[in-house]
Amino acid sequence: LRRLQRLAMTLYICLMKRSVRTVALIVAAGSGQRLGGDVPKAYVNLHGKSLLAHAMEAFLTHPGIDSVRAVIARAHHPLYRKASQGLTAFPCVIGGATRQESVLRGLESLEGRGVERVLIHDAARPFVDHALITRVLEALDEYQAVLPA
């Protein structure tokens, strides 16, 4: 058992030392009131997965993205755990009262981690594809900020 614990700790340390240059920050802290329904918009089921899970998978499977961090409402934590089950991402961070404050909290949570580029994405937009992510990453090689159109 001790040997297994040492191996797990070594693996954890190696993973933590891995360079994480580019992170996708997926904002899912809103209530989705305008949509109505029983669950917040980010957790609405679409083809067997939540909108948030679709968005997270798009970024997690892109070779130019090193990690993903979701920003959620504190009350949505049980929904987030279910939506992110089986996905490997940074631990989520609790958002604020407004989208702007939630993005700020997400950005602040990445300070000191050596992150050089952050892509900010709304969880309620699940159809982001690899081509769009690639175009944004390529544009970030030339510009400090990019807004896809």
Side-chain angles (χ1 to χ4, degrees), residues 14-149:
C14 288
L15 288 173
M16 293 307 291
K17 288 182 177 180
R18 193 190 97 183
S19 174
V20 178
R21 292 185 52 230
T22 304
V23 173
L25 192 64
I26 302 182
V27 184
S31 64
Q33 287 179 322
R34 289 178 300 182
L35 179 66
D38 296 337
V39 296
K41 188 168 29 177
Y43 302 98
V44 167
N45 187 306
L46 177 68
H47 301 294
K49 292 187 276 192
S50 70
L51 299 182
L52 173 60
H54 283 284
M56 288 179 71
E57 284 180 358
F59 286 95
L60 285 168
T61 59
H62 190 283
I65 302 296
D66 297 312
S67 192
V68 168
R69 169 162 277 167
V71 182
I72 68 167
R74 184 177 307 280
H76 300 168
H77 203 267
L79 295 168
Y80 171 76
R81 277 199 315 269
K82 183 178 178 187
S84 63
Q85 192 171 12
L87 301 175
T88 304
F90 279 154
C92 65
V93 66
I94 303 302
T98 65
R99 176 180 170 81
Q100 193 173 14
E101 187 178 347
S102 293
V103 170
L104 178 62
R105 287 185 181 182
L107 291 170
E108 288 174 341
S109 76
L110 298 173
E111 283 185 283
R113 293 184 174 268
V115 175
E116 296 174 11
R117 302 185 301 182
V118 178
L119 282 68
I120 300 170
H121 184 74
D122 186 339
R125 309 290 182 261
F127 300 118
V128 62
D129 61 17
H130 281 195
L132 177 63
I133 296 169
T134 297
R135 286 194 308 273
V136 169
L137 292 173
E138 288 172 350
L140 284 173
D141 289 337
E142 189 173 341
Y143 302 100
Q144 287 185 338
V146 176
L147 180 66

